[in-house]
Amino acid sequence: MKRNFVTWMCILLAWEMAGFMFTIIGTAYFRTMVGLSGVGVQQQSNEFFIYAQSHLPFLEGALFGFFYGNLFYVIYWLTENTRLRNLSFGRIILIQSILYILAFAVVSVLIFFSMSKVEIFPVDDTDAFFWLLRENPSLLIAFLIYIPVVIIIVNFFLEVSKKFGPGNLWNLFIGKYHTPIVEDKIFMFLDLKDSTGYAEKLGHIKYSRLIQSCFQDLNTIVSKHNAQIYQYVGDEAVLMWDKNENGAASDCIQLYYAFRALLLKKSDKYESRYGFVPEFKAGINQGTVTAAEVGNIKREIAFHGDVLNTAARIQKVCNQYKKDLLASESFAELILEVEAYRKVLIGYIPLKGKSIPVNVYSIELA
C-alpha cells in the first residue's frame, strides 16, 4: 500500500507540474501574440481575452493535472496488476498509449464543459477555440505535442524505476550508493525444488516458461508484502526487505506462504501445462550489508556481505533436512511476537564455506 501511494503521489505531482508548466508557457505565448498582432480595445474586452490574461488558466491547468494524473495512475495500476502484465512489453506500451490518449480526451472534455457550466470558462469558448485554431494554430499544435511527450517521459521514468526497484532510481540519481554504505536488510533466497529433474523432464524451452509463470505469479504479491526483488538467478529469486521497516520480518514469512498458497490455487493451470504444481524452498537471513553502485555499461545497486552468503547456504540445506523454509537464528529472533508461525530449531548446522556452524530454524505455520 505504501509503495502504491508513493507511485500515485509521484504521478500526480508530475502531471500537476506539467499542467502548470504548459499554462505558464501558453499564457506567455498568448499575451505575446496578442501584443504583436495589435489586437484592438474591442477585442481585448472579449471574455476570452480577459480569461486568457487572468489567473484562471492556472486553475484549468491544476484541474487537468489532478484529473489526468489520477486517470494515468489508474491505467498504470491496471497494466501492472491485471492479466495485462503478462503481455509483451510492446503490447503493454501500445495498450497504455491508447488508454492514455482516451483519458486525455475524457479529461479535456470534462474540464471544458464543467468550467463552462459554472461560467469560469468564457461563454463564447467555441468561438475562442476556432479563433485560436485559425489565427494561432501553433499553440494548439504545441499542446498536442506537449502532452504525448510528457506521457513518454513519465512512463519512461516509471519503467526505469521498476527496473531498478522502488526508490533506487532516485538513489542512483543523487549518487547515494556511489560510495559504499552500510544498511540493515533481510534477504530471502527463493528456489524451485527439484529444479534439475524438472528441467530434464520439460526441456529448456518449456522449463523456461515454467519459471516465467512462477515469477509472474510471485510478482503479483511482492508489493503487497513490501518486498523488493533484488535479482533473479536462473530459477532462483532473491528478495529483500528493509529490516528497520515495521513488520518486515512478518512480511517476509507471509510472502513465502502467500506464494505457496497462490501456486496451489493455480494448481489446475500448472498441472495442465507442466504436469505438476511447482514448490519452492527458501532460506532467510538478516543483518548488515554493504550497498554500492556497480558497473558502468550496466549499472545496478549491489549488496555485499556474509548475510547474503549465509542466506544462500541455508536455502541449500532445505532438502537435506526436508524443510521448505529455513532461517538463521538472528532472523528467527525477529519473529518472536508473530503468533501465526512457530520456529523449530533444526540444529547447529555447518554450512558450506563457513568455518563456524550456524543455528538454523524451520519457520512453520502455527
Side-chain angles (χ1 to χ4, degrees):
M1 291 298 293
K2 178 182 177 182
R3 188 174 302 170
N4 290 335
F5 176 76
V6 171
T7 302
W8 170 69
M9 285 298 296
C10 288
I11 290 174
L12 193 61
L13 179 61
W15 280 106
E16 285 289 359
M17 291 174 62
F20 276 109
M21 183 62 68
F22 189 82
T23 302
I24 292 171
I25 296 172
T27 52
Y29 171 86
F30 177 78
R31 291 171 185 175
T32 302
M33 292 304 297
V34 167
L36 293 175
S37 60
V39 177
V41 176
Q42 183 177 358
Q43 286 179 302
Q44 290 278 8
S45 63
N46 182 282
E47 292 182 32
F48 174 73
F49 292 96
I50 296 173
Y51 169 81
Q53 296 183 71
S54 70
H55 295 294
L56 291 175
F58 290 95
L59 173 62
E60 185 180 353
L63 288 174
F64 175 83
F66 178 78
F67 287 115
Y68 190 71
N70 278 287
L71 273 179
F72 191 100
Y73 172 75
V74 169
I75 293 169
Y76 177 76
W77 186 91
L78 287 173
T79 55
E80 290 294 311
N81 294 276
T82 63
R83 291 183 178 180
L84 290 173
R85 67 179 179 273
N86 296 329
L87 298 176
S88 66
F89 181 73
R91 289 183 179 180
I92 291 175
I93 294 298
L94 178 61
I95 292 172
Q96 282 181 333
S97 299
I98 293 172
L99 293 175
Y100 289 149
I101 292 171
L102 290 174
F104 167 71
V106 169
V107 171
S108 297
V109 171
L110 175 66
I111 293 175
F112 183 84
F113 284 103
S114 61
M115 293 186 71
S116 297
K117 284 291 184 181
V118 296
E119 298 184 356
I120 293 177
F121 206 77
V123 177
D124 54 349
D125 45 21
T126 305
D127 293 337
F129 174 80
F130 285 110
W131 176 88
L132 182 63
L133 184 62
R134 183 179 66 254
E135 300 295 333
N136 291 288
S138 55
L139 186 60
L140 182 62
I141 293 172
F143 182 67
L144 295 177
I145 294 174
Y146 176 78
I147 293 301
V149 168
V150 177
I151 288 174
I152 291 171
I153 292 173
V154 174
N155 216 27
F156 170 78
F157 277 100
L158 287 172
E159 291 300 319
V160 173
S161 178
K162 187 167 63 175
K163 164 66 177 174
F164 286 109
N168 287 331
L169 178 60
W170 176 249
N171 291 331
L172 285 170
F173 181 76
I174 64 175
K176 178 179 179 180
Y177 297 107
H178 192 68
T179 300
I181 62 173
V182 173
E183 294 185 340
D184 290 325
K185 295 286 186 181
I186 297 172
F187 283 91
M188 173 191 284
F189 281 70
L190 190 66
D191 187 51
L192 179 66
K193 295 174 67 175
D194 302 321
S195 57
T196 302
Y198 291 142
E200 291 178 352
K201 177 183 176 180
L202 297 174
H204 62 92
I205 298 296
K206 199 168 184 179
Y207 180 72
S208 294
R209 288 175 181 164
L210 167 67
I211 299 303
Q212 280 185 321
S213 297
C214 291
F215 288 163
Q216 283 172 352
D217 287 335
L218 175 64
N219 272 264
T220 64
I221 62 172
V222 165
S223 61
K224 296 176 184 178
H225 299 282
N226 301 308
Q228 291 187 46
I229 295 178
Y230 172 40
Q231 57 185 199
Y232 298 107
V233 183
D235 51 25
E236 181 178 74
V238 183
L239 299 97
M240 65 181 184
W241 289 258
D242 289 328
K243 176 188 170 183
N244 297 323
E245 288 284 338
N246 290 332
S250 178
D251 283 334
C252 180
I253 304 301
Q254 287 174 10
L255 180 139
Y256 175 80
Y257 284 106
F259 183 45
R260 189 171 75 170
L262 181 59
L263 293 177
L264 289 173
K265 183 180 178 181
K266 296 189 173 184
S267 58
D268 290 342
K269 180 190 80 170
Y270 284 103
E271 286 281 4
S272 62
R273 291 182 183 180
Y274 309 107
F276 65 95
V277 179
E279 295 182 31
F280 281 76
K281 56 188 177 181
I284 307 174
N285 192 21
Q286 68 84 26
T288 300
V289 296
T290 302
E293 181 181 333
V294 297
N296 188 12
I297 295 175
K298 182 183 185 298
R299 294 192 178 187
E300 64 178 36
I301 297 171
F303 295 89
H304 308 112
D306 184 62
V307 172
L308 287 90
N309 296 329
T310 301
R313 301 304 183 193
I314 290 173
Q315 182 263 115
K316 295 298 182 184
V317 300
C318 284
N319 289 343
Q320 179 181 344
Y321 293 94
K322 297 181 180 180
K323 297 294 182 180
D324 293 332
L325 181 60
L326 296 177
S328 66
E329 183 175 40
S330 62
F331 176 81
E333 290 174 349
L334 298 178
I335 60 169
L336 288 173
E337 304 302 324
V338 182
E339 297 179 356
Y341 312 103
R342 62 188 178 92
K343 57 182 183 179
V344 179
L345 178 62
I346 301 299
Y348 194 54
I349 298 174
L351 300 175
K352 184 178 178 180
K354 293 185 68 68
S355 58
I356 302 176
V358 175
N359 275 332
V360 175
Y361 286 78
S362 173
I363 310 298
E364 302 170 1
L365 293 173

